[in-house]
Amino acid sequence: KKITAYHESGHALAAYLLPEVENVHKVTIIPRGTYLGATMRLPDKDRYHMQKKYALGNITVLFAGRVAEELFCNDISAGARSDIKEATTLARLMVSEWGMSEKLGPISYTDSEEHLFLGREITRSHPHSEETSIEIDKEMKRILMTCYERAKELITAHKDICDKIANALLVKEIMTAQDIE
């Protein structure tokens, strides 16, 4: 329960500190389905575009849970699995579909056409070279690691607040935005 409390406190703190992402609505360490905890966020207004700052902020929030585990528990858990997957998906979209990479430019590197092979497997044809695939991977990793380091800086700089949120979660199990405030 402790590692979950710190994990969720990391998400909540980063979301609270980053103005480019949605505000925290509620945080819980009560297990739901396969999740041991959750940090729920709600938008202030309808969002019609995926902006680069917003995408980078969200990747940072996704990594903040893992960072808090490392800093407070001296260990990491598989609890960040879906966060890592979502962050990787966002980075891939930024680089290969949304043209949000300075290095690779405003170019779409995906071929949305999918081919069924023997009725079971889906294969994708790549409209670019193997060298470009390597550059896409490098750029994704750069984005992910930059956001990871940003999360580490945020949680480290506000370690006392992260600790207070985690300890409050261990007692209350559910916190609202007002509680975090």
Side-chain angles (χ1 to χ4, degrees):
K1 216 171 184 180
K2 177 184 172 186
I3 200 163
T4 302
Y6 279 103
H7 182 100
E8 297 307 330
S9 71
H11 287 314
L13 179 59
Y16 179 79
L17 293 171
L18 296 174
E20 65 268 27
V21 300
E22 285 101 358
N23 295 319
V24 175
H25 171 66
K26 192 182 290 185
V27 183
T28 181
I29 58 169
I30 298 172
R32 292 193 175 20
T34 59
Y35 297 102
L36 297 176
T39 300
M40 294 151 264
R41 298 182 288 148
L42 292 176
D44 295 340
K45 58 186 183 226
D46 289 341
R47 193 171 291 282
Y48 299 103
H49 300 284
M50 175 60 75
Q51 294 172 292
K52 186 175 181 180
K53 285 181 183 177
Y54 175 75
L56 292 171
N58 276 299
I59 293 170
T60 302
V61 171
L62 287 163
F63 282 142
R66 168 60 67 89
V67 166
E69 289 181 18
E70 286 179 42
L71 290 174
F72 290 97
C73 303
N74 297 316
D75 201 0
I76 56 175
S77 73
R81 179 178 149 234
S82 63
D83 298 330
I84 293 168
K85 186 174 183 177
E86 188 175 342
T88 303
T89 298
L90 263 174
R92 182 178 313 283
L93 289 168
M94 289 176 71
V95 172
S96 63
E97 290 189 31
W98 298 338
M100 292 181 178
S101 164
E102 292 86 9
K103 186 171 185 176
L104 293 167
I107 300 168
S108 175
Y109 291 101
T110 60
D111 185 2
S112 60
E113 189 178 332
E114 296 176 346
H115 306 283
L116 288 177
F117 177 69
L118 298 178
R120 292 189 351 241
E121 297 180 30
I122 295 178
T123 59
R124 292 181 185 260
S125 60
H126 293 285
H128 49 76
S129 67
E130 184 61 32
E131 292 82 16
T132 301
S133 287
I134 291 168
E135 290 303 313
I136 289 169
D137 289 344
K138 285 179 183 176
E139 184 66 356
M140 285 175 52
K141 184 173 184 178
R142 184 195 65 75
I143 288 170
L144 292 166
M145 295 313 295
T146 299
C147 290
Y148 191 87
E149 289 304 316
R150 185 179 183 204
K152 193 175 269 191
E153 289 169 12
L154 281 173
I155 301 302
T156 302
H158 299 90
K159 207 171 178 181
D160 56 331
I161 299 169
C162 193
D163 190 46
K164 285 179 184 176
I165 294 170
N167 285 313
L169 277 170
L170 287 168
V171 173
K172 295 177 74 167
E173 294 186 322
I174 297 175
M175 293 176 70
T176 65
Q178 293 78 23
D179 295 331
I180 292 168
E181 185 71 37

